[in-house]
Amino acid sequence: KTFDRPAVRYALHHHFARRYGWQLLGLAPGGGAWNSSSVAEVAAFQRLPEAAHAALEGELAQGGLTERGAATLAVTLEYLLRSEAMERLKVTYAKFALAESAQLPEAQARLVLELYMTSLLLSLSPLTVAGLPQQKLMELHRDMPETYPAWPGIKNFAHGRLEAQHLPGAPFSFEQLAAAVGAIGQGFGQWQRENVCTGLKKSLSELEDQGTGRVLLSDFYKAGLNGRWEFQESEEYLRSLGALDETSPAAPRVIIANWVDGRSNCIGSSGVHDICCVSECESLLASLETSLAAPAATPAAVEAAVSALTSPTVAAGRDLGPVLRQRLQAIAGAHGGVVPIYGRLFAQW
């Protein structure tokens, strides 16, 4: 079986988002369609040698990829992202004239890892870090508790990944720090979900409009004025996220789940990807895909499948209620009687 470019792009995006919370730059549609650009335009692929990049473009242009080819592409992307992380770690070592063959005491190893996290959270590329004076990097590290209120928890998370790599009392090798960096990349999205995004969702749920999973835009901005600095995105940006429900133009609403999963809530960014919360919606969509086994289904089939889902806040057997049922029927009415589960309207539903 061969997959066309939109299918490959969709599969890659959801693979990394579901597994790690990674949003690869140039892969997610960003409010557009899945066929709006080529997979080869993904930022990480710009790290490929020119000949390899041209070969990728050529294969995609000839009609898509086989299942094996798509899997190879996913492995290649993960390798490229890990290479970028290793480059960041090596630059941090070089910034303090540390040889990669050096054995570091625990305190120094922890500091190196914290400086690595500092540059990642501040979206500083390895090239930018290389050009910073050492003292400036230390100042940025010192200011992290003010820049990121979650910094103490982030440090503990990183230290835990480091401690898992060595024997108590032994020094740390570069390979052990590299393994810790790999574990951070794979687990940071889940940590964010449990320690950051769950709190954001709870805060917005307290403002929820009549059990709709939405917050009136006016209440959203009111919370921002009252000290919640996170709730300040423009209407245009919320719309681009698919997080703005304008069914009632006079009373637009912010869709809680879509806003929580938005890029503005990601903590950690390289030049090629953001590390975001592992989305609750991604796991629910995966279950829905398994249940329906089709890209579209009747409203009744979708309702039955969704009602059987279990989420962190709602047990299986939920009653969708008349409002959600009516919206499902409206989506189907615009698509020949079926609900496309990968469409914008269903994502907002």
Side-chain angles (χ1 to χ4, degrees), residues 93-240:
Y93 261 66
K95 180 60 58 181
F96 294 87
L98 296 172
E100 292 177 22
S101 59
Q103 297 291 311
L104 305 184
E106 182 175 2
Q108 192 171 30
R110 284 189 170 205
L111 177 59
V112 168
L113 199 59
E114 289 173 19
L115 292 168
Y116 170 94
M117 294 300 294
T118 295
S119 68
L120 180 66
L121 297 181
L122 296 178
S123 304
L124 303 176
S125 69
L127 184 61
T128 299
V129 174
L132 281 179
Q134 183 189 101
Q135 186 58 36
K136 178 61 177 178
L137 184 58
M138 291 299 294
E139 289 175 4
L140 294 173
H141 170 259
R142 182 195 63 205
D143 293 340
M144 286 302 286
E146 293 184 17
T147 307
Y148 278 95
W151 177 245
I154 293 171
K155 281 203 310 182
N156 289 338
F157 166 75
H159 293 165
R161 305 291 82 72
L162 181 63
E163 290 163 5
Q165 306 302 324
H166 91 308
L167 298 173
F172 289 84
S173 66
F174 178 85
E175 290 71 24
Q176 288 170 323
L177 267 83
V181 163
I184 288 169
Q186 293 178 351
F188 196 33
Q190 185 62 37
W191 182 90
Q192 287 184 61
R193 172 176 170 175
E194 296 169 358
N195 294 274
V196 178
C197 291
T198 298
L200 292 174
K201 180 180 177 181
K202 181 180 178 182
S203 296
L204 275 186
S205 295
E206 292 172 355
L207 305 174
E208 187 176 1
D209 181 33
Q210 303 178 37
T212 59
R214 289 152 169 76
V215 173
L216 287 168
L217 185 62
S218 56
D219 290 340
F220 180 82
Y221 286 138
K222 189 180 298 181
L225 292 173
N226 290 334
R228 293 307 302 256
W229 58 269
E230 306 98 323
F231 306 156
Q232 297 182 11
E233 291 94 341
S234 68
E235 286 189 48
E236 182 180 354
Y237 179 76
L238 293 170
R239 190 177 295 114
S240 74

Side-chain angles (χ1 to χ4, degrees), residues 10-339:
Y10 173 86
L12 289 173
H13 168 72
H14 286 282
H15 167 72
F16 289 113
R18 288 172 184 172
R19 193 169 185 181
Y20 305 129
W22 294 353
Q23 301 282 343
L24 276 67
L25 305 186
L27 190 57
W34 288 105
N35 62 357
S36 59
S37 66
S38 169
V39 174
E41 295 176 17
V42 174
F45 284 136
Q46 307 310 312
R47 300 174 64 87
L48 286 171
E50 185 175 344
H53 190 272
L56 173 61
E57 283 275 23
E59 188 166 356
L60 288 168
Q62 291 176 9
L65 295 174
T66 63
E67 185 174 346
R68 180 177 182 136
T72 301
L73 208 57
V75 172
T76 302
L77 274 172
E78 191 156 348
Y79 169 79
L80 292 171
L81 294 177
R82 181 168 175 77
S83 296
E84 196 269 352
M86 290 304 99
E87 183 181 347
R88 182 181 301 277
L89 180 61
K90 289 180 179 182
V91 164
T92 306
Y93 261 66
K95 180 60 58 181
F96 294 87
L98 296 172
E100 292 177 22
S101 59
Q103 297 291 311
L104 305 184
E106 182 175 2
Q108 192 171 30
R110 284 189 170 205
L111 177 59
V112 168
L113 199 59
E114 289 173 19
L115 292 168
Y116 170 94
M117 294 300 294
T118 295
S119 68
L120 180 66
L121 297 181
L122 296 178
S123 304
L124 303 176
S125 69
L127 184 61
T128 299
V129 174
L132 281 179
Q134 183 189 101
Q135 186 58 36
K136 178 61 177 178
L137 184 58
M138 291 299 294
E139 289 175 4
L140 294 173
H141 170 259
R142 182 195 63 205
D143 293 340
M144 286 302 286
E146 293 184 17
T147 307
Y148 278 95
W151 177 245
I154 293 171
K155 281 203 310 182
N156 289 338
F157 166 75
H159 293 165
R161 305 291 82 72
L162 181 63
E163 290 163 5
Q165 306 302 324
H166 91 308
L167 298 173
F172 289 84
S173 66
F174 178 85
E175 290 71 24
Q176 288 170 323
L177 267 83
V181 163
I184 288 169
Q186 293 178 351
F188 196 33
Q190 185 62 37
W191 182 90
Q192 287 184 61
R193 172 176 170 175
E194 296 169 358
N195 294 274
V196 178
C197 291
T198 298
L200 292 174
K201 180 180 177 181
K202 181 180 178 182
S203 296
L204 275 186
S205 295
E206 292 172 355
L207 305 174
E208 187 176 1
D209 181 33
Q210 303 178 37
T212 59
R214 289 152 169 76
V215 173
L216 287 168
L217 185 62
S218 56
D219 290 340
F220 180 82
Y221 286 138
K222 189 180 298 181
L225 292 173
N226 290 334
R228 293 307 302 256
W229 58 269
E230 306 98 323
F231 306 156
Q232 297 182 11
E233 291 94 341
S234 68
E235 286 189 48
E236 182 180 354
Y237 179 76
L238 293 170
R239 190 177 295 114
S240 74
L241 287 180
L244 191 62
D245 180 355
E246 298 178 276
T247 306
S248 299
R253 291 166 170 81
V254 176
I255 303 170
I256 295 175
N258 292 10
W259 178 83
V260 170
D261 290 343
R263 281 188 61 192
S264 58
N265 294 318
C266 299
I267 303 179
S269 178
S270 73
V272 293
H273 76 309
D274 296 327
I275 306 177
C276 311
C277 295
V278 172
S279 171
E280 294 177 8
C281 295
E282 287 289 347
S283 60
L284 293 174
L285 181 58
S287 298
L288 193 62
E289 288 172 336
T290 301
S291 176
L292 296 175
T298 64
V302 172
E303 179 180 348
V306 171
S307 296
L309 296 176
T310 299
S311 75
T313 54
V314 181
R318 74 185 75 191
D319 178 12
L320 297 187
V323 174
L324 290 178
R325 288 194 187 95
Q326 183 180 8
R327 286 177 176 164
L328 265 187
Q329 292 292 341
I331 295 172
H335 294 89
V338 295
V339 178

